[in-house]
Amino acid sequence: EAEAHRRYFTEPDALELALVGEDVVLIKASYFEQLAARSGILPRRQELPPEAIWDATVLIKGLQRSGDQPAPIMIAISHCWLSKRHPDPEGFQLQSLAPLLKAFANWNRISTDNMAVFLDWCSLPQAPRQPHETAAWNRAMQHVHLWYAHTSISVWLLTQVPHGVTPYGDRGWPEFEKAVSGMVNPADSVLDMGMLRPSWGSWGQVLQDCKARPFPPMAPDAFATELLRKAFAEGADRELLARRYGEAFRGAIGSAETLKYAALRWGDREAIRVAKLLPLCEACKELELQQNDISNRGAKAIQMSLSQCPELERLALWGNCISPENQETLLQAWLQAGKPAVGLELGDQRKPVHQVEIVTSSSGMANAGLGPLSPKQVGSPRKNSMPISPAAARRSADELAALQMAELGARQAAFEARLHVAINRISSVLSEVGDACGGTPQSAAMGGMTPLLSPAHPGATVLGSPSVSGGTRLSGGWD
């Protein structure tokens, strides 16, 4: 059974079953590119032109092909619906998505024709539906988690929405899509595009800005509780997603023999969450938590759960921040649980990472007994200043250099934020002028606002837009 679950999330077989009957279709990325170029609006699935849809047989053969020909790249888009009738009625998200698809294709040295995109509005039958379309929708819902959890599919989170729209994090469907995408996918295959700086110019910058930090998955009951706080237009969707999340968890986490969470910068909070999950991981034999920032508190939480994990026989915790005393206690608990001594890998540990107060103002530096970012003053008292504390006196030139870099970084971030606000204000004024003089077709399509293009990347839309009324997408509607 564990092998069947593994194949479901890692092999093309499950994708083939979902695609062959055309309950779900994937869209050629080139179609999004062409539609955005003419300021078009995404059509629903039933109105898509045939040339926009990937042939399922060709796609699956491409995924199974080995050799010099590049395999198709699949991407699932998690997004908010910006109105009840249409997820993107003014093309706001399309204009942001199209240049990203192009940049991603260039990075991988392929054509956008060789990229397959899952986007619910275009990939699933939408309301109003004929009876056979409703049947197709119901079948598609049985595997809706697959598109966000399969290891062959990258997931892009379009978390930024126009002003006045219900935020991404407050919605039920996006919460489900984001949570499922972090169960199996490698950390670098889930990107939060809402973190992208407006002036991006290359896919390398996208990777730098948008890598979503992974967190331990939530237990199914905890996720069901979390959904109670999210917005849904249809209450039945809440129950549906709680059920699908549970299925995904049992398949991807509960039946996994190895859980790999190494080098994710996880601390005690994440370790405690993992400890709560372990009793649900009935098949887990190996747990990799090495090279994180777990200290004594997190180690104790894991220690308390060892007796509830009968199959666990290897636990890697080297490269964390666990004290020698707690290492010994953990070893004793491991042995008392009847596990092999060789299976507990503690290795070398680091000193705990303490929070460091970074002073970024001249007054703050003076109060600390330091000159404003002046390495030369280390260890030398200053006249007319407060006495230097022993801790401050021990600060090295390297530490002060780090403070200087933090100061510069903070100033740059503040400048970019002010610049972005100024650009949006200018856009608003230009929009009003355009409305007064008679808007162009493109500005009309964007609600009277011409998209701002990044000077560093022609065609890249600055993530800003006038207010659009919004809410939640539901089954074929609004969530």
Side-chain angles (χ1 to χ4, degrees):
E1 184 181 1
E3 176 62 16
H5 284 302
R6 185 196 68 81
R7 290 182 59 87
Y8 181 79
F9 291 106
T10 60
E11 302 294 331
D13 303 1
L15 299 174
E16 182 176 9
L17 289 175
L19 290 170
V20 166
E22 293 195 347
D23 294 336
V24 179
V25 297
L26 300 187
I27 316 304
K28 294 178 181 178
S30 56
Y31 175 72
F32 292 96
E33 186 181 9
Q34 295 161 8
L35 190 64
R38 60 177 186 266
S39 301
I41 302 299
L42 288 171
R44 66 182 188 137
R45 155 72 184 280
Q46 293 95 317
E47 296 161 0
L48 273 173
E51 62 271 16
I53 300 174
W54 267 89
D55 181 277
T57 304
V58 173
L59 177 61
I60 296 301
K61 285 184 178 179
L63 295 174
Q64 297 171 336
R65 183 176 56 226
S66 60
D68 297 334
Q69 292 292 331
I73 294 178
M74 293 183 292
I75 303 165
I77 306 299
S78 174
H79 64 106
C80 301
W81 280 45
L82 305 185
S83 77
K84 189 171 183 178
R85 295 180 179 273
H86 194 287
D88 193 24
E90 298 178 358
F92 170 77
Q93 296 185 114
L94 176 61
Q95 292 297 327
S96 298
L97 178 61
L100 291 168
L101 292 170
K102 181 64 175 178
F104 189 50
N106 291 340
W107 178 268
N108 289 279
R109 298 181 179 179
I110 62 173
S111 164
T112 50
D113 281 328
N114 206 31
M115 294 165 59
V117 179
F118 174 88
L119 190 147
D120 57 356
W121 173 253
C122 300
S123 296
L124 303 171
Q126 300 299 321
R129 306 182 188 94
Q130 299 296 325
H132 70 280
E133 294 170 344
T134 299
W137 167 268
N138 291 333
R139 290 191 298 268
M141 286 298 99
Q142 297 176 18
H143 305 281
V144 68
H145 53 289
L146 178 66
W147 305 106
Y148 303 96
H150 199 281
T151 56
S152 297
I153 303 177
S154 297
V155 180
W156 295 0
L157 314 176
L158 304 187
T159 56
Q160 187 156 359
V161 297
H163 177 72
V165 174
T166 302
Y168 181 98
D170 292 346
R171 297 165 179 254
W173 275 89
E175 175 70 14
F176 166 79
E177 294 156 1
K178 181 179 179 179
V180 170
S181 69
M183 283 189 184
V184 182
N185 269 315
D188 58 353
S189 68
V190 180
L191 299 176
D192 181 354
M193 297 305 184
M195 301 297 293
L196 184 59
R197 71 191 78 176
S199 58
W200 69 278
S202 70
W203 190 255
Q205 288 179 303
V206 176
L207 293 177
Q208 181 180 2
D209 290 355
C210 301
K211 281 188 179 180
R213 186 185 177 193
F215 289 94
M218 300 176 69
D221 56 347
F223 183 76
T225 301
E226 182 68 17
L227 286 182
L228 295 175
R229 294 189 282 268
K230 303 301 178 181
F232 285 93
E234 289 287 340
D237 284 358
R238 182 178 286 109
E239 181 181 351
L240 168 69
L241 295 189
R243 187 165 59 251
R244 292 293 172 261
Y245 181 88
E247 293 170 359
F249 181 92
R250 287 186 290 274
I253 304 297
S255 64
E257 295 185 354
T258 302
L259 296 177
K260 298 182 179 181
Y261 300 134
L264 295 176
R265 296 179 296 163
W266 284 3
D268 290 337
R269 181 179 62 173
E270 290 81 11
I272 291 170
R273 191 160 162 178
V274 170
K276 293 179 179 179
L277 292 179
L278 285 180
L280 304 177
C281 303
E282 300 175 352
C284 183
K285 296 181 179 180
E286 300 183 30
L287 175 60
E288 298 184 356
L289 286 167
Q290 66 269 27
Q291 294 182 306
N292 281 295
D293 297 320
I294 300 171
S295 63
N296 296 334
R297 184 163 166 258
K300 288 179 181 177
I302 294 174
Q303 172 189 322
M304 297 296 292
S305 66
L306 292 178
S307 60
Q308 303 177 63
C309 308
E311 298 298 320
L312 186 65
E313 57 189 31
R314 175 175 172 258
L315 172 59
L317 280 168
W318 53 269
N320 280 285
C321 310
I322 306 172
S323 69
E325 295 79 9
N326 280 274
Q327 291 181 55
E328 180 62 28
T329 303
L330 183 59
L331 175 59
Q332 293 304 319
W334 178 265
L335 296 176
Q336 290 175 8
K339 303 184 184 300
V342 70
L344 181 60
E345 302 174 8
L346 293 172
D348 294 332
Q349 300 288 320
R350 298 178 288 106
K351 290 185 178 180
V353 179
H354 297 293
Q355 295 292 327
V356 178
E357 181 180 357
I358 297 178
V359 182
T360 60
S361 67
S362 299
S363 60
M365 297 288 288
N367 290 336
L370 299 170
L373 306 177
S374 177
K376 293 182 180 180
Q377 296 176 352
V378 176
S380 60
R382 290 174 44 190
K383 296 180 180 180
N384 302 322
S385 64
M386 297 179 65
I388 300 176
S389 68
R394 288 194 297 269
R395 290 186 181 177
S396 67
D398 288 342
E399 289 173 318
L400 285 174
L403 290 176
Q404 186 174 18
M405 293 302 297
E407 172 86 3
L408 294 174
R411 290 177 179 176
Q412 180 181 353
F415 172 77
E416 289 182 354
R418 290 195 299 269
L419 180 62
H420 188 44
V421 170
I423 290 174
N424 283 339
R425 288 176 178 172
I426 293 171
S427 300
S428 179
V429 172
L430 292 177
S431 175
E432 293 176 1
V433 172
D435 289 340
C437 299
T440 64
Q442 183 180 15
S443 66
M446 293 296 293
M449 170 181 165
T450 301
L452 294 175
L453 303 182
S454 163
H457 190 292
T461 303
V462 172
L463 299 181
S465 172
S467 174
V468 180
S469 60
T472 58
R473 174 182 63 217
L474 54 76
S475 308
W478 149 249
D479 65 69

